[in-house]
């Protein structure tokens, strides 16, 4: 039959082709490997209509009969096959459209697994959704496994509060026939929250009772039974959730020519992803395509149809069939993004990468941009950095704050890459820099940037670039491709942390492609891939970093920050500069408040509102410090209420601190009551501020009462188990001189498991000293391994009070050389303590040596020190009482008077004037003692008069006049009183009295005149006072 029909179709070629297709399909059972759409009856009739054949052929009628007979026997599958053949082009376009649609739908949902510990509080509730999007009347609490009423919808929640789903939004994302389980609420900061679970996520399956298999769940009873049995069998349970993504991938098309210069890699979810560019990549591709974009389709070499691609081989096949220079139209998709519920920021969801290698789409040899990159090595390095930079809050504090582990890991990463003589890519470099910055090591972050990119970190054209060498061999090879917006922003953060504002400005100019910008005499250069057509375009975050750095430069820096702030576009506008955002305004408000420009800070707030930017709690926290009166705080709270900003504990603590600093303790106490009325519980910092405020207001008893009240209250007892609160309470015990209570507080700390710190032990020393327990205070000091300046000051006091002057002198001497921990004020106080204790013990030799060391160290004795010496020696000039003579007063030891003369001589050797009050005390003491000391006091008065009469403005001039102009020997006052019999006959001949410059204030004139009158012999003469 087949061959008969073929022989008749020789003359009628067109009809024979159609008949052959029908016949073969009928004989072979019409292969079903092509699944096409069923054609309409109208289409089938058109395909075999009489109009398709010639009417003038005599055999046409017979051919029609054969066709009708064969067509009657054809099956439905044959009709589909024929119709699909005729409609092939239309069907191909339909397939492309459907595949693209399915890809987008696939991207709109994402599944993830969360492994939770059933021994911890999960903080999650589930609700059931039935057909028709009907929500159940009760929720299942996974902690108690009890059904409870659903909570009210809450869109914002603080840590420890439950964030609930919005039923309307959930119903919009679910299909009308959906039936399953949805997360109804999650406690912010809880175990489930920290594992990424959010309200509105769909529960797909849970772990079986035993093993790792996951079983689907569609009812709350099933989940309840699974969790209950899993708690008994195992301690952990895996939940699989599905999250709807509202923002899908954005697609775009580009027409490129060969060579493309793209590096691509297949992903496990069926996409071809761009992973980088080669040296031959076109500038258009670098500008428009981002690393991570996906190739969806490539146009056909014949025609305009776009063919979908899902493998690297398919992309290569579609591209290599083109001639050089022939355009290739490609369709790309930018990876979708979703909003992070933790930070309320948009984050990119990384695709699931396959274990395949990167393929270069380029006819020319693949040459990486910049330098060789060992991708496998960098992958291991990134995993190590990620392991020690992420995790729970406690782990971050342990690794980062205490041991700086991320910085150590970054060192190892750089050494490993340098030893391999390889380069860093942008992702790894940014992770290395962030690891250093998390440990507050900006110098290392800057060094890593220079060595990795070969660019000077200050934005200049200098060539002295840092080089990182491996410990055994090799060195880090610079790769300019490692410089992008992320690493540039990290560099600006490091420079800002270091305080190098000028370099921050130059780096910002370099990122914008502006060369020749002069900042402090150094010009910036243009960095690669920057400028108007570059791929590196500074955003608002870069400008905010520059603003923050500039505001640390005092008045000049604030002016620079304001000028830079004004160059930014207004919110909502799109221009050449990034727009101001919430962080920009908050940075400027905080800077204005710190510099004391309170009115300008509130004006910036008004400008912020008019720009359409809504203030947040950080805005108002900064403005709290600009408040002067309590009424300002209340007005600020009212404004917050209008803006819909709810004050939190941090904000109330800032207000309480402000009031305590202004000694408005009762107002601060009332603010705590208002805080509790709003449902906010005071934390340990709140009590610490109140206690510190009472202690500053010299109310230590009230401070201790507040602490003990908090300890006895079950609601606040846990808050008091804090080293800062205990330290403040011990300081209050020291203020009332109760060392026993201080020791009891330390004992209670140890029982509660609170370890005393350096400040705690220092406060304990103060309590022991205030109670006169010098031995106990000295013992506490000996237990401090690494004391700071204040602890050393208290330690010297305790050792002096114990009477061990040698040890105290040795300890103080160590602080005068090398890297001393004590400030100048603390050293001066320690000198004063040592001198006072020496005089109390009548150890004048140690007192002289200590005073000489004080002058030798460059310190100038203060008036308070001289007065302390006078009080210690009990030499306060008595008031003249009629009928009471000097002989009836307490006798002054000769050593005391001679020590005063030693001080006058020591001041003269440093060309320092004597204080008027101290000078009058010396004269009064000499008059009381009589004899030789009164004579010396009289000579002191005469020397001062001679110095004034000579109109010598400084002591150095007086010495020159005495020694050089007169050619005489000048003796010291201490030497004169000791060897007066030797010098008395030679005075005025070859021996000259030392000059004496005295600084006399207007309040001391009468006191000085009265003292000089007491030591004058014979006829008094009028003396000039200056």
């Amino acid at each position: 039959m087949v061959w008969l029909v073929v022989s008749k179709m020789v003359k009628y070629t067109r009809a024979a082709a159609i008949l052959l297709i029908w016949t073969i399909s009928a004989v072979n059972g019409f292969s079903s490997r092509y699944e096409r759409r069923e054609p309409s009856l109208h289409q089938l009739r058109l395909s075999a209509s009489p109009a398709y054949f010639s009417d003038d052929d005599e055999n046409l009628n017979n051919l029609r009969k054969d066709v009708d007979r064969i067509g009657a026997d054809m099956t439905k599958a044959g009709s589909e096959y024929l119709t699909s053949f005729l409609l092939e082009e239309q069907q191909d376009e339909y397939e492309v459209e459907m595949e693209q649609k399915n890809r987008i739908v696939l991207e709109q949902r994402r599944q993830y697994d969360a492994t939770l510990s059933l021994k911890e509080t999960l903080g999650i509730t589930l609700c059931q959704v039935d057909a028709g999007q009907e929500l159940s009347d009760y929720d299942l609490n996974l902690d108690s496994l009890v059904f409870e009423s659903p909570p009210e919808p809450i869109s914002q929640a603080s840590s420890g509060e439950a964030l609930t789903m919005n039923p309307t939004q959930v119903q919009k994302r679910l299909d009308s026939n959906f039936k399953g389980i949805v997360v109804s609420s999650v406690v912010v900061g809880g175990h489930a929250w920290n594992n990424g679970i959010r309200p509105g996520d769909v529960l797909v399956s849970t772990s079986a009772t035993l093993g790792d298999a996951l079983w689907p769940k569609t009812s709350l009873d099933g989940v309840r039974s699974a969790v209950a049995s899993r708690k008994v069998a195992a301690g952990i349970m895996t939940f699989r959730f599905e999250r709807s993504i509202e923002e899908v991938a954005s697609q775009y098309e580009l027409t490129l020519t060969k060579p493309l210069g793209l590096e691509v890699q297949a992903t496990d979810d069926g996409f071809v992803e761009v992973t980088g560019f080669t040296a031959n990549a076109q500038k258009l591709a670098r500008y428009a395509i981002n690393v991570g974009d996906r190739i969806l389709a490539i146009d056909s070499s014949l025609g305009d149809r776009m063919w979908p691609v899902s493998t690297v081989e398919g992309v290569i096949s579609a591209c290599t069939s083109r001639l050089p220079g022939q355009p290739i139209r490609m369709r790309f998709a930018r990876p979708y993004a979703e909003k992070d519920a933790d930070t309320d920021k948009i984050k990119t969801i990384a695709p699931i990468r396959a274990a395949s290698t990167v393929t270069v789409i380029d006819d020319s040899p693949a040459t990486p941009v910049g330098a060789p990159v060992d991708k496998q090595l960098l992958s291991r390095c990134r995993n190590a950095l990620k392991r020690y930079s992420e995790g729970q809050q406690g782990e971050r504090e342990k690794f980062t704050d205490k041991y700086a582990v991320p910085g150590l890991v970054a060192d190892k990463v750089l050494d490993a890459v340098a030893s391999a003589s390889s380069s860093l890519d942008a992702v790894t470099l940014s992770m290395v820099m962030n690891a250093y910055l998390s440990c507050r090591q900006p110098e290392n972050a800057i060094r890593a940037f220079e060595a990795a990119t070969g660019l000077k970190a200050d934005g200049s054209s200098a060539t002295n670039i840092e080089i990182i060498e491996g410990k055994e061999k090799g060195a880090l090879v610079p790769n300019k491709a490692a410089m992008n917006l992320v690493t540039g922003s990290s560099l600006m953060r490091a420079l800002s942390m270091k305080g190098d504002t000028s370099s921050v400005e130059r780096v910002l100019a370099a990122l914008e492609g502006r060369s020749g910008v002069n900042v402090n005499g150094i010009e910036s250069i243009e960095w690669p891939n920057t400028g108007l057509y570059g791929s590196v375009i500074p955003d608002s975050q870069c400008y905010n970093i520059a603003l923050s750095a500039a505001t640390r430069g005092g008045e000049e820096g604030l002016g620079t920050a304001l000028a830079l702030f004004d160059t930014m576009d207004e919110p909502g506008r799109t221009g050449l500069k990034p727009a101001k955002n919430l962080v920009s305004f908050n940075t400027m408000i905080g800077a204005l408040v710190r510099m004391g420009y309170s009115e300008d800070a509130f004006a910036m707030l008004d400008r912020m509102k008019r720009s359409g930017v809504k203030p947040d709690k950080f805005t108002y926290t900064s403005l709290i410090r600009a408040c002067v009166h309590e009424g300002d705080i209340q007005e600020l709270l009212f404004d917050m209420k209008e803006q819909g900003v709810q004050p939190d504990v941090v904000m109330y603590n800032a207000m309480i601190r402000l009031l305590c600093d202004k000694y408005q303790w009762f107002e601060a106490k009332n603010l705590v009551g208002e805080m509790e009325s709003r449902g906010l519980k005071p934390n340990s910092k709140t009590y610490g501020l109140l206690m510190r405020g009472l202690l500053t207001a010299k109310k230590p008893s009230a401070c201790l009462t507040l602490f003990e009240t908090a300890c006895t209250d079950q609601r606040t007892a846990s808050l008091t188990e804090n080293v800062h609160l205990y330290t403040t309470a011990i300081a209050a015990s020291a203020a009332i001189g109760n060392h026993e209570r201080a020791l009891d507080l330390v004992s209670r700390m140890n029982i509660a498991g609170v370890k005393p710190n350096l400040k705690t032990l220092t406060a304990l020393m103060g309590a022991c000293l205030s109670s006169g327990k010098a031995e106990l205070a000295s013992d506490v000091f000996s237990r401090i391994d690494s004391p700071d300046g204040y602890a050393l000051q208290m330690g010297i006091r305790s050792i002096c009070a114990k009477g061990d002057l040698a040890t105290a002198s040795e300890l103080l001497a160590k602080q005068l050389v090398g890297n001393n921990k004590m400030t100048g004020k603390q050293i001066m106080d320690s000198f004063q303590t040592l001198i006072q204790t020496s005089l109390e013990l009548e150890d004048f030799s140690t007192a002289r040596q200590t005073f000489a060391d004080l002058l030798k160290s460059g310190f100038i004795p203060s008036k308070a020190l001289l007065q302390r010496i006078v009080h210690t020696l009990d030499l306060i000039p008595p008031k003249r009482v009629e009928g009471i003579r000097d002989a009836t007063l307490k006798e002054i030891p000769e050593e005391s008077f001679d020590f005063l003369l030693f001080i006058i001589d020591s001041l003269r050797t440093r060309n320092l004037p004597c204080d008027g009050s101290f000078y009058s005390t010396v004269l009064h003491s000499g008059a009381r003692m009589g004899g030789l000391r009164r004579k010396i006091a009289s000579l002191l008065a005469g020397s001062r008069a001679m110095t004034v009469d000579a109109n010598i403005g400084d002591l150095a001039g007086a010495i020159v006049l005495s020694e050089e102009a007169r050619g005489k020997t000048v003796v010291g006052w201490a030497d004169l009183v000791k060897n007066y019999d030797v010098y008395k006959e030679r005075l005025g001949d070859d021996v000259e009295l030392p000059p004496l410059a005295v600084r006399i204030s207007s309040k001391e004139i009468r006191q000085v005149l009265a003292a000089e009158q007491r030591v004058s012999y014979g006829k008094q003469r009028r003396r000039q006072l200056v």
Side-chain angles (χ1 to χ4, degrees):
M1 175 66 70
V2 175
W3 295 106
L4 177 61
V5 175
V6 172
S7 63
K8 292 183 179 181
M9 287 170 40
V10 173
K11 190 174 181 180
Y12 312 103
T13 307
R14 291 183 297 169
I18 299 175
L19 182 60
L20 179 63
I21 295 172
W22 282 11
T23 306
I24 294 174
S25 301
V27 173
N28 295 332
F30 304 102
S31 174
S32 60
R33 63 178 179 273
Y34 296 98
E35 296 180 359
R36 304 294 187 178
R37 293 180 299 174
E38 181 177 356
S40 65
L41 218 34
H42 176 66
Q43 291 172 329
L44 183 60
R45 287 171 181 171
L46 284 179
S47 63
S49 64
Y52 191 82
F53 307 101
S54 303
D55 294 332
D56 56 353
D57 198 300
E58 59 182 359
N59 297 320
L60 183 60
N61 293 330
N62 294 330
L63 181 60
R64 288 175 179 169
K65 294 179 181 179
D66 292 335
V67 170
D68 290 339
R69 187 178 71 253
I70 296 174
D73 296 336
M74 292 183 68
T75 61
K76 183 178 179 180
S79 300
E80 293 177 355
Y81 181 86
L82 176 62
T83 307
S84 64
F85 177 80
L86 297 176
L87 303 176
E88 180 178 358
E89 290 192 2
Q90 179 180 356
Q91 184 62 29
D92 288 338
E93 294 177 1
Y94 172 78
E95 283 188 352
V96 172
E97 179 183 354
M98 289 302 298
E99 183 169 347
Q100 298 297 333
K101 184 176 180 180
N102 291 337
R103 279 171 174 255
I104 296 177
V105 171
L106 177 63
E107 288 183 351
Q108 288 180 332
R109 294 186 179 275
R110 179 171 65 95
Q111 290 188 355
Y112 65 94
D113 292 343
T115 301
L116 307 179
S117 173
L118 300 180
K119 297 180 181 179
E120 299 186 22
T121 302
L122 302 181
I124 179 175
T125 61
L126 305 175
C127 72
Q128 186 167 325
V129 181
D130 297 325
Q133 297 183 343
E134 292 292 334
L135 300 180
S136 59
D137 296 333
Y138 50 85
D139 291 355
L140 173 63
N141 189 320
L142 289 188
D143 291 317
S144 61
L145 297 181
V146 174
F147 293 105
E148 54 188 30
S149 300
E152 294 294 330
I154 300 177
S155 59
Q156 293 182 353
S158 303
S159 179
E161 298 178 349
L163 183 67
T164 61
M165 70 174 183
N166 188 329
T168 303
Q169 294 181 357
V170 173
Q171 290 172 347
K172 287 181 179 179
R173 293 200 297 263
L174 298 178
D175 185 77
S176 59
N177 296 324
F178 174 82
K179 183 178 180 181
I181 303 171
V182 178
V183 178
S184 57
S185 69
V186 184
V187 176
V188 177
H191 187 42
W193 178 276
N194 294 334
N195 280 272
I197 303 174
R198 297 295 180 267
D201 292 355
V202 177
L203 177 62
V204 178
S205 56
T206 63
S207 297
T209 303
L210 296 175
D212 299 330
L214 297 178
W215 293 90
K217 292 293 184 292
T218 57
S219 66
L220 294 180
D221 291 331
V223 175
R224 182 184 182 186
S225 175
V227 175
S229 60
R230 187 74 179 185
K231 277 187 176 181
V232 179
I236 59 175
M237 187 171 188
T238 300
F239 298 81
R240 175 165 293 174
F241 294 92
E242 185 178 82
R243 181 171 300 168
S244 298
I245 309 301
E246 296 180 358
E247 301 182 17
V248 299
S250 59
Q251 299 185 14
Y252 61 94
E253 292 185 2
L254 288 178
T255 300
L256 305 173
T257 58
K258 296 179 63 178
L260 300 179
L262 300 180
E263 294 181 358
V264 297
Q265 182 178 359
T267 62
D268 284 343
D269 45 358
F271 291 97
V272 179
E273 179 190 62
V274 178
T275 59
F277 306 93
T278 67
N280 298 324
Q282 304 169 41
K283 192 168 185 179
L284 174 61
R286 294 180 182 277
Y287 178 77
I289 303 173
N290 288 348
V291 173
D293 288 0
R294 299 165 178 174
I295 302 176
L296 298 183
I298 302 177
D299 67 339
S300 174
S301 57
L302 298 176
D304 297 330
R305 294 193 306 271
M306 299 291 291
W307 293 92
V309 291
S310 58
T311 63
V312 174
E313 292 77 11
V315 175
I316 294 177
S317 176
C319 294
T320 54
S321 61
R322 310 299 176 92
L323 297 176
Q326 183 179 1
I328 304 174
R329 188 160 57 98
M330 308 178 70
R331 181 176 297 161
F332 296 87
R334 186 76 30 93
Y336 57 85
E338 66 174 345
K339 186 170 290 187
D340 190 342
D342 296 335
T343 60
D344 201 31
K345 295 181 179 179
I346 300 297
K347 66 177 183 180
T348 300
I349 300 178
I352 306 173
R353 290 178 172 80
S356 59
T357 58
V358 175
T359 305
V360 180
I361 310 176
D362 199 341
D363 289 343
S364 60
T367 304
V369 179
V373 176
D374 189 339
K375 296 185 179 295
Q376 186 175 5
L377 173 62
L378 295 185
S379 177
R380 293 198 302 267
C381 292
R382 287 193 294 267
N383 290 336
L385 289 167
K386 186 177 181 180
R387 184 182 307 118
Y388 291 98
S389 61
E390 297 183 352
Q392 301 297 327
Q393 181 67 27
E395 295 177 357
R396 289 200 297 269
E397 292 177 355
K398 176 182 177 181
F399 289 147
T400 302
D401 300 338
K402 187 174 182 180
Y403 301 112
V405 171
L408 299 177
V409 175
D411 292 337
K412 296 293 184 181
V413 166
L414 293 178
D415 177 66
V417 179
S419 299
S421 297
S422 185
S423 300
L424 292 176
D425 59 5
V427 177
T428 311
L429 176 59
S430 65
M431 294 182 69
V432 168
M433 297 179 69
N434 289 333
Y436 283 129
L437 293 177
S438 66
C439 301
R440 304 201 65 82
Q441 299 175 2
E443 295 82 3
N444 291 340
I446 296 171
R447 173 172 168 265
F449 178 86
E450 285 194 358
T453 62
L455 301 171
K456 190 63 179 176
D458 62 356
S460 68
S461 59
T463 57
N464 54 332
I465 307 297
E466 287 281 354
I467 299 177
I468 296 179
E469 298 180 350
K471 291 184 178 180
E472 299 180 357
K473 61 178 182 178
L476 189 64
V477 180
N479 178 19
K480 291 185 179 180
M483 196 288 298
N484 60 9
L485 184 60
V486 178
T487 55
S489 300
S490 299
L491 175 62
M492 293 178 65
R493 286 176 52 205
L495 294 170
S496 175
M497 189 180 297
K498 188 181 177 182
D500 192 352
T501 307
S502 302
S503 295
V504 172
E505 295 183 43
R506 281 192 295 271
V507 169
L508 180 60
L511 290 174
E512 291 180 328
R514 296 185 291 120
S515 60
V517 178
N518 193 307
V519 182
N520 289 342
I522 303 177
E523 293 185 351
S524 66
I525 63 171
E526 179 181 357
W527 280 356
N529 298 325
T530 59
L532 185 60
Y533 299 102
S535 59
V536 179
I537 302 175
D539 54 5
S540 298
Q541 182 182 4
C542 289
Y543 272 76
N544 292 338
I545 295 173
L547 290 175
S548 178
T551 53
R552 297 189 180 99
E555 292 284 348
E556 183 179 355
L558 180 59
T560 303
L562 288 171
L564 182 62
F565 180 78
D566 291 335
T567 62
M568 300 176 68
D569 287 335
E570 292 299 321
R573 295 184 182 179
T574 303
L576 297 178
K577 296 288 185 178
K580 306 180 183 74
N581 57 16
L582 177 62
V583 179
S584 309
F585 281 102
N586 284 349
T587 301
M588 298 310 304
I589 289 175
L592 291 170
V593 172
R594 286 195 303 270
M595 297 302 297
Y597 297 103
S598 301
E599 295 183 0
D600 294 326
F602 282 102
M604 184 65 72
L605 174 65
D606 182 64
R607 180 179 174 183
M608 178 181 182
K609 295 177 183 177
R610 286 187 282 105
S611 299
V613 179
K614 184 179 179 180
D616 64 352
K617 60 181 180 180
F618 299 103
T619 311
Y620 290 104
T621 303
S622 299
L623 287 170
I624 287 172
R625 291 178 292 175
C627 297
V628 180
H629 307 290
E630 183 187 3
D632 297 337
I633 295 179
Q634 297 299 328
E635 185 176 351
L636 196 64
L637 290 173
F638 180 76
D639 188 75
M640 289 172 56
K641 185 176 181 180
E642 284 187 338
Q643 295 296 325
V645 179
Q646 296 295 331
D648 56 4
V649 178
V650 177
M651 193 173 299
Y652 271 106
N653 286 342
M655 291 185 281
I656 292 171
R657 180 193 293 274
L658 177 68
L659 293 174
C660 290
D661 290 342
K662 296 179 180 296
Y663 299 100
Q664 299 176 356
W665 188 83
F666 291 103
E667 290 80 359
K669 185 178 179 181
N670 293 335
L671 202 59
V672 174
E674 179 183 340
M675 173 181 175
E676 293 177 336
S677 65
R678 289 177 176 264
L680 297 175
K681 297 180 180 180
N683 56 15
S684 59
K685 189 171 184 179
T686 309
Y687 281 96
L689 291 171
L690 292 174
M691 292 175 62
R692 179 60 60 182
L694 289 171
L695 193 60
T696 306
K698 297 182 179 180
K699 298 179 179 180
S701 299
C703 176
L704 286 171
T705 302
L706 177 62
F707 177 75
E708 296 297 347
T709 302
C711 289
T712 55
D713 193 338
Q714 294 182 353
R715 297 171 299 176
T716 58
S718 59
L719 299 178
T720 60
E721 295 179 357
N722 182 286
V723 65
H724 303 291
L725 297 185
Y726 271 104
T727 301
T728 305
I730 293 172
S733 302
I736 61 177
N738 191 344
H739 76 285
E740 294 181 352
R741 190 165 188 176
L743 291 172
D744 179 66
L745 288 171
V746 174
S747 177
R748 287 164 56 183
M749 286 181 68
N750 294 324
I751 295 174
V754 181
K755 184 179 180 180
N757 59 12
L758 177 60
K759 292 185 178 180
T760 308
L761 298 178
T762 306
L764 181 59
M765 278 196 294
C768 295
L769 287 174
S770 63
S771 302
K773 304 295 181 179
E775 289 284 348
L776 189 57
S778 178
D779 182 65
V780 173
F781 177 73
S782 64
R783 298 176 183 271
I784 301 177
D785 296 329
S786 180
D788 59 0
Y790 183 65
L792 287 169
Q793 178 185 355
M794 298 299 295
I796 291 175
R797 286 186 184 181
S798 62
I799 295 174
C800 288
K802 193 174 64 171
D804 190 356
L805 300 180
T807 303
S809 300
E810 181 181 356
L811 187 61
L812 181 58
K814 292 180 180 180
Q815 295 300 310
L816 300 177
V817 294
N819 297 324
N820 56 323
K821 299 180 181 179
M822 301 176 68
T823 63
K825 186 177 181 181
Q826 292 170 345
I827 293 176
M828 192 68 186
D829 179 82
S830 299
F831 271 118
Q832 182 173 306
T833 301
L834 189 55
I835 292 173
Q836 178 182 351
T837 307
S838 301
L839 295 178
E840 289 175 351
L841 299 176
E842 297 183 356
D843 188 351
F844 291 97
S845 175
T846 302
R848 284 188 174 88
Q849 183 62 44
T850 304
F851 193 84
D853 292 340
L854 184 147
L855 295 174
K856 185 179 179 181
S857 302
F859 292 94
I860 298 176
S862 62
K863 187 172 184 177
L865 173 60
L866 298 177
Q867 290 178 349
R868 179 72 67 87
I869 292 174
V870 170
H871 280 271
T872 304
L873 295 176
D874 197 13
L875 300 178
I876 301 176
K879 295 182 179 180
R880 301 290 294 178
V881 180
E882 187 175 356
I884 299 179
R885 297 187 176 184
D886 291 342
T888 62
L889 299 176
K890 181 180 178 180
E891 183 178 354
I892 300 176
E894 293 181 354
E895 291 85 354
S896 298
F897 184 82
D898 295 348
F899 182 74
L900 299 181
L901 296 180
F902 165 78
I903 292 178
I904 294 177
D905 286 336
S906 300
L907 294 174
R908 182 178 66 86
T909 58
R910 283 288 309 276
N911 299 334
L912 297 174
C914 182
D915 178 69
S917 177
F918 183 79
Y919 166 73
S920 62
T921 301
V922 175
L923 298 185
H924 279 294
S925 300
R928 286 173 56 187
M929 296 179 68
L932 176 59
R933 268 65 185 178
R934 180 174 182 178
K935 177 63 178 178
I936 297 299
S938 177
L939 294 175
L940 282 169
S943 178
R944 190 199 70 83
M946 180 188 66
T947 304
V948 174
D949 291 341
N951 290 324
I952 300 174
D954 61 307
L955 192 56
I959 296 175
V960 171
L961 179 64
S962 299
E963 296 182 353
E964 295 184 2
R966 300 184 181 182
K968 296 181 180 180
T969 302
V970 178
V971 297
W973 295 106
D975 187 20
L976 181 61
V977 73
K978 184 177 180 180
N979 302 298
Y980 182 76
D981 293 337
V982 178
Y983 294 120
K984 67 178 180 179
E985 300 295 337
R986 300 166 54 191
L987 287 175
D989 295 334
D990 60 340
V991 176
E992 184 72 18
L993 292 174
L996 181 60
V998 181
R999 182 178 57 245
I1000 306 174
S1001 65
S1002 58
K1003 296 181 179 180
E1004 297 171 339
I1005 292 178
R1006 293 182 60 185
Q1007 181 182 359
V1008 171
L1009 287 177
E1012 290 181 342
Q1013 185 178 5
R1014 293 192 62 190
V1015 297
S1016 299
Y1017 290 94
K1019 185 178 181 180
Q1020 303 295 321
R1021 74 182 185 89
R1022 186 177 181 182
R1023 295 190 177 97
Q1024 179 182 1
L1025 294 175
V1026 293

